[in-house]
Amino acid sequence: MATFFASTPFGVTEASRDAFSHTPISRRFTHLNIALSKYIEFERDLETADCFDLAFQAWTADAEMAREDVLRVTDAITASPLERLEDRPLKRSALLTRSLIVSDNEAEFTALHRLLDSFASLFACCASGAVGARVQQMLETCHSHLDAIADLG
């Protein structure tokens, strides 16, 4: 005969209050980081390519598609409503990313890129817990991508 007793500690099956869950902005921001890495890769390919290379046309098309993808995702992020405070720096970084990608000249690009350092608190997540740590990780990835774009010719 079996004796019934609870072997699972109390509360372990309940959802943690400190767990990360995506909002529409954070989900799209993850896609933005992926799109930025592709954009950087294609732009680096173009930097080392010879315009007389037969594949140059395809590389240019790939770079343009990657650029359009980045702009599409940044537009989706900026159009999304804020659901939590941690979405603010994500939205600001998306706006800055869009501005950097569409900037007309090097001086404008440099001035915009300096905003990351000048107003670092606006582009960082200071919240604690799992949500704050995950958002800060996404922001650091994005900002490293923006630094890589700044290093391109």
Side-chain angles (χ1 to χ4, degrees), residues 86 89 120-129 132-133 135-136 139:
E86 291 84 359
S121 61
L122 294 176
F123 298 102
C125 181
C126 300
S128 60
V135 168
Q136 185 59 34
L139 289 167

Side-chain angles (χ1 to χ4, degrees), residues 53-117:
D53 192 335
L54 296 176
F56 185 77
Q57 188 77 16
W59 290 337
T60 304
D62 289 342
E64 278 301 313
M65 284 190 336
R67 180 181 187 272
E68 292 302 318
D69 193 32
V70 168
L71 296 177
R72 181 185 53 77
V73 176
T74 58
D75 288 344
I77 291 171
T78 55
S80 299
L82 296 172
E83 288 191 11
R84 59 182 174 214
L85 292 176
E86 291 84 359
D87 286 343
R88 284 183 180 173
L90 295 175
K91 200 167 196 173
R92 288 180 190 131
S93 292
L95 284 166
L96 180 63
T97 300
R98 181 173 184 32
S99 298
L100 287 168
I101 297 293
V102 299
S103 63
D104 290 333
N105 55 49
E106 189 176 339
E108 181 182 357
F109 182 92
T110 303
L112 288 168
H113 189 255
R114 284 188 191 140
L115 293 175
L116 282 174
D117 293 329

Side-chain angles (χ1 to χ4, degrees), residues 20-22 26 30 33 84 90 125 127 129-141:
F20 177 79
S21 62
H22 275 292
S26 65
T30 301
N33 281 333
R84 59 182 174 214
L90 295 175
C125 181
V131 174
R134 178 66 178 117
V135 168
Q136 185 59 34
Q137 181 184 17
M138 288 190 287
L139 289 167
E140 288 172 4
T141 302

Side-chain angles (χ1 to χ4, degrees), residues 16-49:
S16 172
R17 293 181 183 188
D18 194 32
F20 177 79
S21 62
H22 275 292
T23 63
I25 289 178
S26 65
R27 183 171 283 112
R28 289 180 177 129
F29 203 85
T30 301
H31 295 295
L32 175 62
N33 281 333
I34 295 167
L36 277 172
S37 66
K38 288 179 183 177
Y39 174 71
I40 293 165
E41 178 183 340
F42 290 133
E43 287 294 326
R44 283 182 181 152
D45 287 345
L46 280 178
E47 274 191 337
T48 60

